[in-house]
Amino acid sequence: MSDFLEITCKSSGKVRRFSVGTEASFALQLINQKLDSVDPSALYIEAIKQGEEPISFGPNSVLIDYGDGWKLQTVTRQGSHRQKAMEEFPTAIKPASGDVHSATDVHLDLLEPPLQDESRPITSEPVSDVESQSLEKLDFTDTFKTDVTRKQVFNSRDELIRWARDLGKSIGMVREQVANNESPPQQQQTILQLPHQFLEIYCKCSGKVRRFSVGTEASFALQLINKKLGHGVPSALYIEAIKEGEEPITFGPNSVLIDYGDGWKLETVTNEGSEIQNEYDYKELPDIIEPARDDVQSATDLEFHLTDLPLQDENMPVTSEPISDIESQSLRKLDFTDAFTTDVVFNCRDELVTWARDVGRSVGMVVIIKKSEFGASGRSSRIFLACERFGKRREYKVPFKKKTSATRRRVSKRCDCPFLLRGIKMPKDDQWRVKVECGYHNHPLERHLQGSSVAGKLTPEEKDIVIQLLRQGVKAKEILKVLKERDERNESTVRTIYNAQAKLRHEEMSATSQMGYEEMATTSQLGYEEMDAVSHLRHEEMSAVSQCNSS
DNA sequence: CATGGCATCCTAAAGGGCTT
DNA sequence: AAGCCCTTTAGGATGCCATG
């Protein structure tokens, strides 16, 4: 009994020791580094126990001890031992309860019960809609609330700590080193031996259930599941959480698998009958799983670098719903408090806005003015800058018309992003300071801002250029090229140019009409109705000219 | 495939009211 | 004073389709 874990390396036959809390990717890399060149390298780590389905650790998951009889070992590139071992195991793992693949319930049946009341759910509240796919999902207030009616009174301080820690682990919280020297080492050892959580994913393709440790990324799980499939079996496209009567929750490739609680099951989605076939194309994991950074020593030594941002994979479709991609980048990685924290005094409001937008652009986000007040209603001047995905999708008074072939409801990018800067006007002159109210996002940031309705807009200078070039008869594609060459950060699309062209045409037409209207009004005795009729004719004439030009 | 029309409706930005 | 919510309006992005 000790505060470390032992991993048997199948290639070398040696046992390596790691402290509890070590990331799987780190352990794997170190094990592989110590291998002889002839030994096949390890692919990943798994927990095994006779008669049990192994539990695979994703590269970013934290190594833990699953308790009595469970051992950790590497899985090698060849996987021959593994195959053999697998054959001895039952082909299909029966879920502990008929309808639940929730890690919680299975866990209670298979392993020693934790300290708390068995019937008490120890997971977060089930997520039932898109809106709750925000930070609320990371709110475990209810989970940690003890029920007075159950008379959940702890007999000692240590028992309370044990309960809290176990609950924490059950929802995927990394074990915290409590700053307390009074706790005897034995206590900690006991805690570490307690069984931990894992997740079960039902593989539709094979009909089998696969187990993964909490903290495993969806892409890792998916690839492993697909690797275990036989030839001719359709492979899984992605993983989703399902519950009867609820909208499924899709896991993006970089999201971390979590248990949504009572009634929610995890399962794969296959090609067959899938409307979004090929939409998610999980990238192939390398044969050897490596940490994101070569020098990762622990999960906590990450530094903030503007140039080293955790940007989303380009292949990942941009959706309006963050869904489970909230987990794809940890809150720490999405926290830009440092980037926006400054003592600079801006000489005017616009200077502050420009600075914030520039910083935003450099980190892959679009900063918009959420609200600005110029001392109206006796208030002091202030400005709030937010992420373009702030707030929720607007509800409109006029209900959407029935879906026709010509119209389709558009998706909103809003996801209630909490990012917020506050600009405060100083009493002296028009000087402004900025304060970070909330520096983090609840959604992944994009490598490219193209497609953003804000970032894609033309600046006044760009508008002038576009108009000038359009008048010279330059093609839209060429104009776009000019804009991109002029400013590599330009995020416009060819559609932006077409829209500008349409606007220009409309404006010129209106101007011509107006000129003619005024001309007529001053030189003729025509009444309003007659003038409107002539104006209408002129409009048609212009349309005809326009058509001739375009053809 | 490039271009463009049309209808729809999303968005930014600002003002203002109510409450704490 | 600050937080929250609602409203309004102009501008323009977007989905779908047609045309050459």
Side-chain angles (χ1 to χ4, degrees), chain A residues 21 24 27 42 156 180 259 322 324 328 349 376 386 429 468 474 501 506 550:
Chain A
S156 69
N180 183 358
D259 178 12
S324 32
S328 69
R349 176 182 164 280
D429 301 328
Q468 213 175 338
V474 181
Q501 186 166 11
H506 186 257
S550 63

Side-chain angles (χ1 to χ4, degrees), chain A residues 40 45 48 75 123 135 138 140 173 178 181 186 199 202 240 306 313 334 336 398 414 479 513:
Chain A
I45 298 164
I48 55 159
V75 177
T123 56
L135 287 178
L138 300 172
F140 294 99
M173 279 172 68
V178 179
N181 297 328
Q186 290 85 349
L199 301 165
Y202 172 69
E240 67 178 18
L306 284 182
D313 189 79
L334 291 171
F336 296 105
V398 182
R414 306 291 186 116
I479 297 173
S513 301

Side-chain angles (χ1 to χ4, degrees), chain A residues 21-35:
Chain A
T22 299
E23 279 192 359
S25 59
F26 177 80
L28 200 75
Q29 200 193 22
L30 217 66
I31 288 171
N32 282 334
Q33 270 176 10
K34 290 184 178 177
L35 286 177

Side-chain angles (χ1 to χ4, degrees), chain A residues 304-323:
Chain A
F304 178 79
H305 292 298
L306 284 182
T307 53
D308 189 18
L309 288 168
L311 296 170
Q312 200 180 15
D313 189 79
E314 277 180 68
N315 296 329
M316 184 65 190
V318 180
T319 61
S320 63
E321 299 161 0
I323 308 293

Side-chain angles (χ1 to χ4, degrees), chain A residues 51 69 74 92-93 115 130 143 225-226 234 241 258 265 284 307 344 347 350 364 378 393 395 400 403 420 440 491:
Chain A
T74 61
I93 301 294
L115 292 170
V130 171
T143 310
I225 287 170
N226 282 336
I258 56 169
K265 303 171 190 179
E284 277 284 303
T307 53
V344 170
N347 291 321
D350 287 347
R393 185 182 194 280
E395 292 304 326
F400 287 99
K403 188 177 169 181
L420 187 67
Y440 59 84
E491 305 290 353

